[in-house]
Amino acid sequence: MSASTDARRVQIFDTTLRDGEQSPGISLNASEKLEIAHQLARLGVDVIEAGFPIASPGDFAAVQVIAREVRGPVVCGLARANAGDIDRCFEAIRDAERPRIHTFVSTSDIHIEHQLKASREDVKGLTRASVAQAKALVDDVEFSPMDATRADVGFTAEVLQIALDEGATVINVPDTVGYAMPLEYAAFLTRLYALVPDLRSATLSTHCHDDLGLAVANSFAGVQAGARQVECAINGIGERAGNASLEEIVMLLHVRGGHADGLHTGVETTELARASRLVSRLTGYVVQPNKAIVGRNAFAHESGIHQDGVLKDRSTFEIMDARTVGLETNALVLGKHSGRAALKAALEELGYAVEGQALNAAFTRFKDVADRKKSVSAMDLEALVTDELRTEHAGWTIEWFDVEASSRRPPHATVAVKGPDGDVTEGSFTGDGPVDAIFKALNAATGVDGRLREFRVDAVTGEADALGEVSVVLELGDPAAAVRNVTPGLLTGERVTGAGQAVATDIIAAAATAYARALSNAVSKATTLAAAPAVPALPSPTP
Ligand code: KIV
Ligand code: ZN
């Protein structure tokens, strides 16, 4: 049965690459976004919101390459309710197998008065014009009344009727500031159905933020009220506290959907853990150990009573099997005597088609690790391949470093980095600890004042010789000074952060690489902000 004919099927609309990418410190380049989009396709999501094409040339390029290369899901781009946004969005998604334009305008008086500085009539006009324009370009048009849950339901209903009259196929109801409670959100949707009977001919969608920790509960309440699309993001990333977490809503429907009249999704749940790890690595956003579904302790039993129960019968303390979400994929695959062909086959099994130069680079990296580790597991390989992908696109890369550590003298580090233009520069620093010394030496080598905000070391797997995975979040001390070749004045007062993550057998090497990536991300973000404010102020009240 196809999704559209199955009344209990809930479509999963993934916004990791759009709302998720708006999280502070995240700055993904086009090839990283493409890698995530391919994993989303493997996961079987119904819609990929690939980005906000008008926001920057980088966003446009990423949406376009995803539209051209990713097959399976609908590929959607976001556009404010104005002609320029919609044209640009169409240009980016037009080559998709199934393109969708998602346009939005606020219906709450708070937004209309204070942000749009417009009137309710203006909002109706913008809705009419923008949905009509989008519909002339593509069949599939989604409309969102932003901040709907704080808006007058009667006025929102009038706006939705206009969107439907102009041909919107999906109506999404955002709880933009994460203010609603589940019963309220469901009641809001029920009221909209009553006020706008035509809503039954469209797909109703939820888009819930997690400011009060209710994003998944609100989305589920929305589905129970009749919504058949849920907007969500891997690991729950997104503006502020984030969006509804994709893995949580999917597994909620998987485990409890039967108790909710058979609600279900088309997601291949065994790909969830891998999607989570990929997004975490590429964004630098660490997944908390106790995170539902994909946290490393999500299926761990600590207390004696729990362990005893699980040993006797897993159902005593487990409601899901870790294998269902793909968390137990750590079979040993390769050792130090494995050759290129074995590596290629193992990578293909993981879904990576690696040939030629890329295979040579992966093999060199694999050998380096296999010489130090007894065995290289599927999870190690996945971490290495993702790390290798990053290396190709990083701004600054580490050429070499020296760290002198002793209990009698303050540690001293010297590092050489290659910049995006190919120049190699060196920097040194005597710090409070070896990690502090190498981070400050990197500041000296790059000439950028990075200030560490978060630092975290994890092991990829549980063994004593596990690969180390380091995550760094830093803030630019002076974003304007970090930006080159663009007008720095535009950055006055901006706070710019960058996140980076890296994997290596040596923790100091991983830390240095993660810091260099975080610096590169922060500077690239500052450059985008300086060149063109990422989200140009407001939709103009008249289209
Ligand atoms: O949170 C929100 O309202 C949004 C819209 C653009 C759908 O992200
Ligand atoms: Zn949002």
Side-chain angles (χ1 to χ4, degrees), residues 18-19 22 78 102 104 144-147 172 174-177 207 209 231 239 243:
R18 200 279 297 169
D19 210 318
Q22 288 170 215
L78 184 70
H102 176 192
F104 70 98
S144 293
M146 186 151 87
D147 203 23
N172 176 48
D175 181 31
T176 302
V177 292
H207 179 107
H209 279 269
E231 302 200 354
E239 282 280 1
N243 284 92

mmCIF file of all heavy atoms in Angstrom, residues 18-19 22 78 102 104 144-147 172 174-177 207 209 231 239 243, ligand 1:
data_model
loop_
_atom_site.group_PDB
_atom_site.id
_atom_site.type_symbol
_atom_site.label_atom_id
_atom_site.label_comp_id
_atom_site.label_asym_id
_atom_site.label_seq_id
_atom_site.Cartn_x
_atom_site.Cartn_y
_atom_site.Cartn_z
ATOM 1 N N ARG A 18 17.955 21.677 7.379
ATOM 2 C CA ARG A 18 17.443 23.052 7.329
ATOM 3 C C ARG A 18 17.296 23.604 8.750
ATOM 4 O O ARG A 18 18.170 24.304 9.222
ATOM 5 C CB ARG A 18 16.116 23.088 6.549
ATOM 6 C CG ARG A 18 15.753 24.474 6.040
ATOM 7 C CD ARG A 18 15.099 25.354 7.092
ATOM 8 N NE ARG A 18 13.841 24.825 7.556
ATOM 9 C CZ ARG A 18 13.196 25.303 8.623
ATOM 10 N NH1 ARG A 18 13.692 26.293 9.327
ATOM 11 N NH2 ARG A 18 12.061 24.763 9.010
ATOM 12 N N ASP A 19 16.263 23.222 9.470
ATOM 13 C CA ASP A 19 16.115 23.725 10.838
ATOM 14 C C ASP A 19 17.289 23.240 11.702
ATOM 15 O O ASP A 19 17.860 23.994 12.496
ATOM 16 C CB ASP A 19 14.785 23.228 11.423
ATOM 17 C CG ASP A 19 14.181 24.186 12.437
ATOM 18 O OD1 ASP A 19 14.948 24.706 13.253
ATOM 19 O OD2 ASP A 19 12.964 24.416 12.413
ATOM 20 N N GLN A 22 20.404 25.137 11.458
ATOM 21 C CA GLN A 22 20.360 26.477 12.055
ATOM 22 C C GLN A 22 20.811 26.466 13.517
ATOM 23 O O GLN A 22 20.781 27.486 14.177
ATOM 24 C CB GLN A 22 18.930 27.037 11.965
ATOM 25 C CG GLN A 22 18.539 27.437 10.554
ATOM 26 C CD GLN A 22 17.057 27.774 10.387
ATOM 27 O OE1 GLN A 22 16.468 27.508 9.353
ATOM 28 N NE2 GLN A 22 16.454 28.354 11.404
ATOM 29 N N LEU A 78 13.110 25.530 1.550
ATOM 30 C CA LEU A 78 12.303 26.501 2.302
ATOM 31 C C LEU A 78 12.391 27.876 1.634
ATOM 32 O O LEU A 78 13.447 28.260 1.114
ATOM 33 C CB LEU A 78 12.815 26.597 3.744
ATOM 34 C CG LEU A 78 11.993 27.501 4.670
ATOM 35 C CD1 LEU A 78 10.633 26.876 4.978
ATOM 36 C CD2 LEU A 78 12.730 27.774 5.988
ATOM 37 N N HIS A 102 8.430 24.753 0.184
ATOM 38 C CA HIS A 102 7.812 24.977 1.501
ATOM 39 C C HIS A 102 7.889 26.474 1.787
ATOM 40 O O HIS A 102 8.974 27.018 1.966
ATOM 41 C CB HIS A 102 8.591 24.172 2.550
ATOM 42 C CG HIS A 102 8.131 24.392 3.955
ATOM 43 N ND1 HIS A 102 8.854 23.960 5.052
ATOM 44 C CD2 HIS A 102 7.034 24.996 4.481
ATOM 45 C CE1 HIS A 102 8.218 24.278 6.163
ATOM 46 N NE2 HIS A 102 7.113 24.922 5.842
ATOM 47 N N PHE A 104 6.370 29.971 3.991
ATOM 48 C CA PHE A 104 5.789 30.244 5.320
ATOM 49 C C PHE A 104 5.664 31.737 5.573
ATOM 50 O O PHE A 104 6.410 32.542 5.022
ATOM 51 C CB PHE A 104 6.668 29.629 6.420
ATOM 52 C CG PHE A 104 8.003 30.312 6.598
ATOM 53 C CD1 PHE A 104 8.212 31.256 7.601
ATOM 54 C CD2 PHE A 104 9.059 30.030 5.743
ATOM 55 C CE1 PHE A 104 9.436 31.891 7.757
ATOM 56 C CE2 PHE A 104 10.287 30.664 5.886
ATOM 57 C CZ PHE A 104 10.480 31.599 6.885
ATOM 58 N N SER A 144 3.284 26.927 5.755
ATOM 59 C CA SER A 144 3.323 26.944 7.225
ATOM 60 C C SER A 144 2.939 28.313 7.756
ATOM 61 O O SER A 144 3.562 29.320 7.391
ATOM 62 C CB SER A 144 4.743 26.673 7.742
ATOM 63 O OG SER A 144 5.134 25.376 7.460
ATOM 64 N N PRO A 145 1.945 28.385 8.647
ATOM 65 C CA PRO A 145 1.673 29.624 9.361
ATOM 66 C C PRO A 145 2.604 29.668 10.581
ATOM 67 O O PRO A 145 2.355 28.996 11.581
ATOM 68 C CB PRO A 145 0.215 29.465 9.788
ATOM 69 C CG PRO A 145 0.023 27.979 9.883
ATOM 70 C CD PRO A 145 1.025 27.306 9.001
ATOM 71 N N MET A 146 3.692 30.427 10.466
ATOM 72 C CA MET A 146 4.701 30.396 11.542
ATOM 73 C C MET A 146 4.113 30.921 12.858
ATOM 74 O O MET A 146 3.238 31.786 12.861
ATOM 75 C CB MET A 146 5.939 31.212 11.144
ATOM 76 C CG MET A 146 7.054 31.088 12.152
ATOM 77 S SD MET A 146 8.685 31.287 11.427
ATOM 78 C CE MET A 146 8.923 33.010 11.488
ATOM 79 N N ASP A 147 4.579 30.368 13.973
ATOM 80 C CA ASP A 147 4.131 30.734 15.327
ATOM 81 C C ASP A 147 2.626 30.505 15.490
ATOM 82 O O ASP A 147 1.970 31.201 16.276
ATOM 83 C CB ASP A 147 4.496 32.199 15.633
ATOM 84 C CG ASP A 147 4.575 32.459 17.142
ATOM 85 O OD1 ASP A 147 4.788 31.500 17.913
ATOM 86 O OD2 ASP A 147 4.421 33.628 17.551
ATOM 87 N N ASN A 172 1.370 22.743 7.286
ATOM 88 C CA ASN A 172 2.194 22.425 8.452
ATOM 89 C C ASN A 172 1.885 23.430 9.561
ATOM 90 O O ASN A 172 1.796 24.625 9.308
ATOM 91 C CB ASN A 172 3.664 22.528 8.016
ATOM 92 C CG ASN A 172 4.632 22.318 9.141
ATOM 93 O OD1 ASN A 172 4.499 21.370 9.909
ATOM 94 N ND2 ASN A 172 5.619 23.195 9.255
ATOM 95 N N PRO A 174 3.302 24.962 12.787
ATOM 96 C CA PRO A 174 4.469 25.013 13.664
ATOM 97 C C PRO A 174 4.166 25.506 15.073
ATOM 98 O O PRO A 174 3.433 26.478 15.256
ATOM 99 C CB PRO A 174 5.402 26.030 12.972
ATOM 100 C CG PRO A 174 4.810 26.316 11.643
ATOM 101 C CD PRO A 174 3.334 26.024 11.766
ATOM 102 N N ASP A 175 4.762 24.804 16.037
ATOM 103 C CA ASP A 175 4.823 25.326 17.408
ATOM 104 C C ASP A 175 6.234 25.925 17.490
ATOM 105 O O ASP A 175 7.153 25.354 18.080
ATOM 106 C CB ASP A 175 4.628 24.182 18.408
ATOM 107 C CG ASP A 175 4.661 24.693 19.847
ATOM 108 O OD1 ASP A 175 4.246 25.855 20.082
ATOM 109 O OD2 ASP A 175 5.112 23.942 20.743
ATOM 110 N N THR A 176 6.363 27.074 16.859
ATOM 111 C CA THR A 176 7.677 27.664 16.579
ATOM 112 C C THR A 176 8.529 27.889 17.827
ATOM 113 O O THR A 176 9.744 27.718 17.799
ATOM 114 C CB THR A 176 7.465 28.996 15.832
ATOM 115 O OG1 THR A 176 6.726 28.713 14.657
ATOM 116 C CG2 THR A 176 8.767 29.672 15.468
ATOM 117 N N VAL A 177 7.904 28.304 18.916
ATOM 118 C CA VAL A 177 8.689 28.616 20.114
ATOM 119 C C VAL A 177 8.562 27.531 21.188
ATOM 120 O O VAL A 177 8.964 27.721 22.331
ATOM 121 C CB VAL A 177 8.300 30.003 20.691
ATOM 122 C CG1 VAL A 177 8.725 31.111 19.738
ATOM 123 C CG2 VAL A 177 6.803 30.097 20.958
ATOM 124 N N HIS A 207 5.150 20.488 13.359
ATOM 125 C CA HIS A 207 6.534 20.996 13.388
ATOM 126 C C HIS A 207 6.705 21.569 14.801
ATOM 127 O O HIS A 207 6.296 22.693 15.075
ATOM 128 C CB HIS A 207 6.727 22.071 12.324
ATOM 129 C CG HIS A 207 8.108 22.656 12.295
ATOM 130 N ND1 HIS A 207 9.022 22.379 11.306
ATOM 131 C CD2 HIS A 207 8.746 23.509 13.148
ATOM 132 C CE1 HIS A 207 10.149 23.030 11.540
ATOM 133 N NE2 HIS A 207 10.007 23.732 12.658
ATOM 134 N N HIS A 209 8.889 22.480 18.324
ATOM 135 C CA HIS A 209 10.194 22.748 18.931
ATOM 136 C C HIS A 209 10.203 22.293 20.384
ATOM 137 O O HIS A 209 9.154 22.133 21.013
ATOM 138 C CB HIS A 209 10.559 24.225 18.755
ATOM 139 C CG HIS A 209 11.113 24.491 17.379
ATOM 140 N ND1 HIS A 209 12.456 24.417 17.106
ATOM 141 C CD2 HIS A 209 10.506 24.771 16.202
ATOM 142 C CE1 HIS A 209 12.645 24.661 15.819
ATOM 143 N NE2 HIS A 209 11.476 24.876 15.244
ATOM 144 N N GLU A 231 7.364 16.763 11.128
ATOM 145 C CA GLU A 231 8.665 17.374 10.818
ATOM 146 C C GLU A 231 9.572 17.167 12.021
ATOM 147 O O GLU A 231 9.198 17.458 13.162
ATOM 148 C CB GLU A 231 8.479 18.852 10.477
ATOM 149 C CG GLU A 231 7.517 18.991 9.308
ATOM 150 C CD GLU A 231 7.582 20.312 8.560
ATOM 151 O OE1 GLU A 231 8.317 21.230 8.990
ATOM 152 O OE2 GLU A 231 6.899 20.432 7.541
ATOM 153 N N GLU A 239 16.783 24.911 15.832
ATOM 154 C CA GLU A 239 16.814 26.212 16.517
ATOM 155 C C GLU A 239 16.679 26.023 18.041
ATOM 156 O O GLU A 239 15.853 25.242 18.502
ATOM 157 C CB GLU A 239 15.643 27.081 16.045
ATOM 158 C CG GLU A 239 15.834 27.728 14.692
ATOM 159 C CD GLU A 239 16.698 28.990 14.738
ATOM 160 O OE1 GLU A 239 17.183 29.366 15.820
ATOM 161 O OE2 GLU A 239 16.885 29.588 13.669
ATOM 162 N N ASN A 243 14.361 20.530 17.439
ATOM 163 C CA ASN A 243 13.093 20.029 16.892
ATOM 164 C C ASN A 243 12.736 18.699 17.555
ATOM 165 O O ASN A 243 13.536 18.131 18.284
ATOM 166 C CB ASN A 243 13.261 19.760 15.393
ATOM 167 C CG ASN A 243 13.266 21.026 14.578
ATOM 168 O OD1 ASN A 243 14.318 21.600 14.317
ATOM 169 N ND2 ASN A 243 12.109 21.486 14.188
HETATM 170 O O1 KIV B 1 9.721 26.729 13.583
HETATM 171 C C1 KIV B 1 9.165 27.171 12.556
HETATM 172 O O2 KIV B 1 8.118 27.820 12.607
HETATM 173 C C2 KIV B 1 9.815 26.907 11.283
HETATM 174 C C3 KIV B 1 9.038 27.242 10.065
HETATM 175 C C4 KIV B 1 9.884 27.824 8.999
HETATM 176 C C5 KIV B 1 8.286 26.027 9.599
HETATM 177 O O3 KIV B 1 10.895 26.361 11.240
#
